[in-house]
Amino acid sequence: MRGIQLSFSNTQKLRLEKALAQLESISSKVNSNATVIVADTIPVDEDAALKGHGTLEMGKNVIATVCGVVERVNKLVYVRSLRARYKPEIGDIIVGRVIEVAPKRWRLEINFSQDAVLMLSSMNLPDGIQRRRTAVDELNMRSIFVESDVICAEVRGFQHDGSLHLQARSQKYGKLERGKLLKIPPYLVKRRKQHFHHLDQYGVDLIFGCNGFIWVGEHVDVKDAMVEDQVNKPDPQNTNSASLLGSSEEPTYTPLETRQYICRIANAITVFSALSFMVNLEAVIETVTLSLSLNLGVHEMLEAEFHVQVAEQEAERRCTSSRRK
């Protein structure tokens, strides 16, 4: 069952299989022959169709060379591999962890085949002044980021050796604190216009990194209005997750209620990842709402019964959505 390592009862197995079968049926109706495995034949209507990645032309047939989903863009036909590694693109929002402080740069682990590099010249300084970086700034790099710090940044480009070049020239980027870092398969995070979200009802910030790293943390106020969450519409002075670099304020502690919401949201994402469902804001909120309506404890969300209930809820939601269309 999609690699879920839980102990299900016979009844729960039947319910889960039924929900997954219903989801697969809905998906096949929306896009027939969408899922293929190696050596499957891909139906092509036009002779002039362009064969893209994951396809091979054998005689008059087009054969899939990887397991995934058939995508069609005009005349282009290709297979999008589901369990592929993260494939970065310029402009991607990523979350990473610092693994090395090197001269004039930080190296980050971002769930990619190579480490990413954040140059000292590619980020805002704690004082916020735009100026040349000096030797003093380089000596003070550890006052900004140190090993094991979690950072949000944007993909700026690729270096000659294939590694990523990051930038953090906005207040919405920077160090992430007082939260939890989750790692899920990158293919479960779809590229969207908005990857930063402020859940005002929970006092929590949520960042969906395109590289499969997701940050759930206490809400932090910054002055960059560009990070305003379009879904929840928080106060214009509030954004989601940037850190107050070099802040001299006394350390504050996350309230117990907020910590519980952070863990609840993190568990909702974990459940969706275990079920191999696409993770998005709407799905996370619905799953958290379901757990609250059932009066479940935070730890109970990771049990087998809740996985089954989430699968059934997702099947019902998609079924309702397909009927409306």
Side-chain angles (χ1 to χ4, degrees):
M1 296 186 186
R2 304 193 183 193
I4 303 176
Q5 302 297 326
L6 290 172
S7 178
F8 291 95
S9 65
N10 291 333
T11 303
Q12 290 171 338
K13 286 182 180 179
L14 292 175
R15 290 167 55 199
L16 181 59
E17 289 174 352
K18 181 180 179 180
L20 295 179
Q22 186 176 0
L23 287 167
E24 187 174 351
S25 175
I26 295 172
S27 177
S28 62
K29 290 179 181 178
V30 174
N31 190 2
S32 60
N33 299 320
T35 304
V36 293
I37 62 175
V38 177
D40 275 357
T41 300
I42 302 174
V44 178
D45 298 332
E46 302 179 7
D47 296 335
L50 300 175
K51 290 75 177 178
H53 174 76
T55 64
L56 177 65
E57 189 172 4
M58 297 184 64
K60 296 182 179 180
N61 296 327
V62 178
I63 307 299
T65 58
V66 296
C67 300
V69 177
V70 178
E71 301 283 357
R72 303 174 189 271
V73 180
N74 296 328
K75 293 185 178 182
L76 175 65
V77 179
Y78 67 97
V79 179
R80 175 170 56 85
S81 179
L82 289 181
R83 298 188 179 275
R85 292 182 65 91
Y86 169 57
K87 297 178 181 178
E89 296 181 6
I90 295 177
D92 278 357
I93 304 299
I94 62 99
V95 177
R97 187 181 293 277
V98 177
I99 58 175
E100 181 186 2
V101 181
K104 297 183 179 180
R105 71 194 67 194
W106 294 270
R107 289 195 174 274
L108 280 71
E109 199 276 312
I110 61 166
N111 198 25
F112 184 48
S113 57
Q114 298 190 51
D115 299 331
V117 174
L118 175 62
M119 301 295 295
L120 177 61
S121 59
S122 297
M123 65 162 295
N124 283 341
L125 294 176
D127 55 18
I129 301 175
Q130 298 296 329
R131 57 178 173 79
R132 279 180 169 274
R133 276 48 170 179
T134 63
V136 176
D137 295 322
E138 186 175 352
L139 291 174
N140 292 331
M141 286 177 59
R142 286 189 173 274
S143 65
I144 304 175
F145 303 136
V146 296
E147 290 83 356
S148 298
D149 279 351
V150 179
I151 296 176
C152 177
E154 179 181 330
V155 177
R156 179 180 178 181
F158 299 88
Q159 294 189 321
H160 63 278
D161 60 353
S163 60
L164 296 186
H165 189 187
L166 307 178
Q167 68 92 9
R169 288 188 174 276
S170 171
Q171 289 296 323
K172 66 180 179 179
Y173 305 124
K175 185 176 178 180
L176 305 175
E177 298 179 296
R178 301 200 300 273
K180 186 173 183 178
L181 178 65
L182 302 174
K183 182 178 179 180
I184 67 173
Y187 65 86
L188 295 180
V189 181
K190 188 175 181 180
R191 289 182 174 89
R192 298 177 180 271
K193 291 183 179 179
Q194 183 62 261
H195 284 258
F196 296 88
H197 302 283
H198 167 42
L199 307 184
D200 190 36
Q201 64 271 39
Y202 305 128
V204 172
D205 287 332
L206 188 58
I207 303 178
F208 293 108
C210 295
N211 58 331
F213 284 1
I214 298 180
W215 176 259
V216 187
E218 183 182 1
H219 176 63
V220 178
D221 294 334
V222 293
K223 298 181 180 180
D224 191 347
M226 294 182 65
V227 196
E228 183 180 3
D229 185 8
Q230 299 299 324
V231 177
N232 298 281
K233 296 182 180 179
D235 188 272
Q237 297 298 322
N238 296 341
T239 59
N240 38 10
S241 61
S243 60
L244 302 178
L245 300 180
S247 176
S248 59
E249 298 179 358
E250 291 294 327
T252 57
Y253 298 95
T254 305
L256 176 60
E257 183 180 10
T258 303
R259 280 183 281 163
Q260 291 176 337
Y261 280 130
I262 290 173
C263 293
R264 192 174 291 273
I265 293 171
N267 286 351
I269 295 172
T270 301
V271 171
F272 254 68
S273 175
L275 293 168
S276 294
F277 293 163
M278 296 295 292
V279 178
N280 54 60
L281 179 64
E282 293 76 15
V284 171
I285 293 178
E286 288 182 3
T287 306
V288 172
T289 302
L290 175 63
S291 70
L292 292 173
S293 66
L294 297 173
N295 293 321
L296 295 180
V298 175
H299 65 284
E300 294 177 314
M301 295 177 64
L302 299 179
E303 296 178 356
E305 177 61 24
F306 189 67
H307 283 72
V308 177
Q309 292 173 331
V310 170
E312 292 174 339
Q313 176 182 261
E314 184 68 9
E316 181 179 355
R317 184 186 68 83
R318 294 189 189 180
C319 185
T320 305
S321 178
S322 62
R323 288 174 183 174
R324 291 176 182 175
K325 294 179 181 179

